[in-house]
Amino acid sequence: MVRGGGNGEVELSVGARGGGGGAGGLVEPPVPISLGRLVLAGMVAGGVQYGWALQLSLLTPYVQTLGLSHALTSFMWLCGPIAGLVVQPCVGLYSDKCTSRWGRRRPFIMIGCILICIAVVIVGFSADIGAALGDSKEECSLYHGPRWHAAIVYVLGFWLLDFSNNTVQGPARALMADLSGKYGPSAANSIFCSWMALGNILGYSSGSTDKWHKWFPFLRTKACCEACANLKGAFLVAVLFLCMCLVVTLIFAKEVPYKRIAPLPTKANGQVEVEPSGPLAVFQGFRNLPSGMPSVLLVTGLTWLSWFPFILYDTDWMGREIYHGDPKGTPAQMSAFQDGVRAGAFGLLLNSIILGFSSFLIEPMCKRLGPRVVWVSSNFLVCIAMAATAIISWWSTKEFHEYVQHAITASKDIKIVCMLLFAFLGVPLAILYSVPFAVTAQLAASKGGGQGLCTGVLNISIVIPQVIIALGAGPWDQLFGKGNIPAFAAASAFALIGGIVGIFLLPKISRRSFRAVSTGGH
């Protein structure tokens, strides 16, 4: 139900139909859930994010050892946004209408996690599979040529992994909104964000370890040397961790099955009208989006346009602009670049730690200030941070030319400032991972349904900016003298625009509705 307050705010409350069943279904009031049970219900997010962090830290360097060029590697990453564009809205819609006795979301979460495990095994063992299919039989430490069978197997596994990740993420977020009850979607999304942060911490830590081949020597084979064995070990641990998280979520997320109570629509001649399915149903579902969602989608897109340059090129920025290295330069420059990349990976670890702690502050801030103020403020913080990268880069170049002629590296002070910047960005990133989804859940509740569809549609506003940045950042940087600063400058501008647009267009959700949005059954 939607109530208009005297100050123009929208206050939401949900009764028996608040689970997202839509016009033709019914979800009984959810069983009251304790906060501890709600926390455990979201644990699968940590397992999925663990594997995603390994993807970001390990797979780009690894695939180039199989024969794919750097350019092809960048295009390979486009499968993520393509999967998100197609899979999440469809899965979200299907999960809204799923009548399984196990619930609406859990069947999709379980199937997606099983597919993730299969994909991870394919990626980790791609070199061994390629050797069995006809790649070179030479010792991997001696042969440095292309291994095309392994590369093809890897790409197939990588695409399956991204499609599987998107199969899980949408229903997992919708599940948390369904179960949030008296705690509200804001608290549920903060919990989800915390699990993501924990998964990032564990994933980046696991990916930075080069001891897996020593701890599990049987992973090293004739076709798989130390780096490959390390990846294989990290990914096998990711499978075990994901399975544990999945079991906990399936046990503690007690869903109420969706039941259809309205008759199927009929045509004028009395025939039953077949409901659309697949992408067509998703496009028709756009017409039923809650009022306010278009503004949320626009601001979400602008916000992610300000984030993706840093997400995609942060470690490269550390290697090039801060450590003054070059991946194709002299041995000293190549070494400096790798030092910068490792420093950037450590910065991401700090970022994830701050993100985890900050996620617990999101709900109190939304209660006190309102979600719109919190979201807009995070955009302005990102604007300042992206502009700061240019200042830090100029400072680093000045220090390098004047004081550090004897070595290609970064000064101690600049390293500290960069680590502080990485850590600082954990706060607005926690807001980005939580508030847009909480606002979407609130708006979806206002029409009594569609949590899965709305969450999937919101993901479109994330993947389109990723495609734009992936295709445009390289030529944009090349146009203005290579490096990463032009893309970061554009990111600062997008953050500023997103903040200004958010002030005027974002729906003003009542702060009271973040305390309790579901009154039915409590």
Side-chain angles (χ1 to χ4, degrees), residues 127-209:
D128 299 302
I129 297 173
L133 293 176
D135 282 340
S136 173
K137 303 298 182 182
E138 291 186 55
E139 172 67 29
C140 56
S141 60
L142 302 176
Y143 178 76
H144 301 288
R147 288 178 279 176
W148 296 115
H149 292 91
I152 293 172
V153 171
Y154 168 87
V155 170
L156 292 175
F158 186 90
W159 276 67
L160 177 60
L161 182 58
D162 264 355
F163 274 84
S164 305
N165 282 334
N166 280 280
T167 300
V168 176
Q169 287 174 344
R173 278 193 180 274
L175 173 67
M176 294 297 288
D178 293 342
L179 299 177
S180 59
K182 62 182 180 181
Y183 305 105
S186 181
N189 277 283
S190 295
I191 293 170
F192 195 92
C193 181
S194 300
W195 280 117
M196 291 176 65
L198 178 60
N200 274 336
I201 294 170
L202 296 176
Y204 288 130
S205 300
S206 179
S208 63
T209 301

Side-chain angles (χ1 to χ4, degrees), residues 20-289:
L26 171 70
V27 177
E28 298 296 333
V31 178
I33 188 172
S34 66
L35 183 60
R37 198 180 189 96
L38 183 63
V39 170
L40 293 174
M43 190 173 179
V44 72
V48 173
Q49 199 66 21
Y50 186 112
W52 178 246
L54 287 177
Q55 280 184 264
L56 291 177
S57 59
L58 295 180
L59 293 190
T60 297
Y62 172 69
V63 71
Q64 295 179 68
T65 67
L66 301 180
L68 289 184
S69 66
H70 188 272
L72 289 176
T73 301
S74 63
F75 282 109
M76 179 192 67
W77 281 99
L78 288 175
C79 77
I82 292 173
L85 190 65
V86 176
V87 174
Q88 280 214 29
C90 291
V91 170
L93 178 67
Y94 290 144
S95 70
D96 282 339
K97 299 181 179 181
C98 178
T99 57
S100 168
R101 66 188 182 93
W102 300 104
R104 292 182 296 165
R105 319 297 182 188
R106 287 189 296 175
F108 292 92
I109 292 173
M110 183 177 67
I111 292 172
C113 287
I114 292 173
L115 292 177
I116 288 175
C117 294
I118 295 172
V120 163
V121 172
I122 292 174
V123 169
F125 287 83
S126 57
D128 299 302
I129 297 173
L133 293 176
D135 282 340
S136 173
K137 303 298 182 182
E138 291 186 55
E139 172 67 29
C140 56
S141 60
L142 302 176
Y143 178 76
H144 301 288
R147 288 178 279 176
W148 296 115
H149 292 91
I152 293 172
V153 171
Y154 168 87
V155 170
L156 292 175
F158 186 90
W159 276 67
L160 177 60
L161 182 58
D162 264 355
F163 274 84
S164 305
N165 282 334
N166 280 280
T167 300
V168 176
Q169 287 174 344
R173 278 193 180 274
L175 173 67
M176 294 297 288
D178 293 342
L179 299 177
S180 59
K182 62 182 180 181
Y183 305 105
S186 181
N189 277 283
S190 295
I191 293 170
F192 195 92
C193 181
S194 300
W195 280 117
M196 291 176 65
L198 178 60
N200 274 336
I201 294 170
L202 296 176
Y204 288 130
S205 300
S206 179
S208 63
T209 301
D210 59 355
K211 306 294 185 184
W212 293 109
H213 70 283
K214 295 182 179 178
W215 297 333
F216 306 104
F218 61 89
L219 295 177
R220 192 190 187 286
T221 64
K222 191 174 182 179
C224 184
C225 289
E226 283 80 4
C228 171
N230 286 328
L231 179 142
K232 197 186 296 183
F235 269 55
L236 289 177
V237 172
V239 168
L240 295 176
F241 183 67
L242 176 60
C243 290
M244 180 186 72
C245 294
L246 172 63
V247 170
V248 172
T249 293
L250 294 179
I251 291 175
F252 287 94
K254 293 296 184 181
E255 290 190 89
V256 177
Y258 169 82
K259 300 176 182 178
R260 182 176 294 279
I261 59 172
L264 291 173
T266 58
K267 299 179 181 179
N269 59 7
Q271 294 181 343
V272 175
E273 184 176 348
V274 179
E275 292 187 348
S277 60
L280 179 61
V282 174
F283 287 124
Q284 291 197 1
F286 274 79
R287 297 181 303 179
N288 299 321
L289 289 177

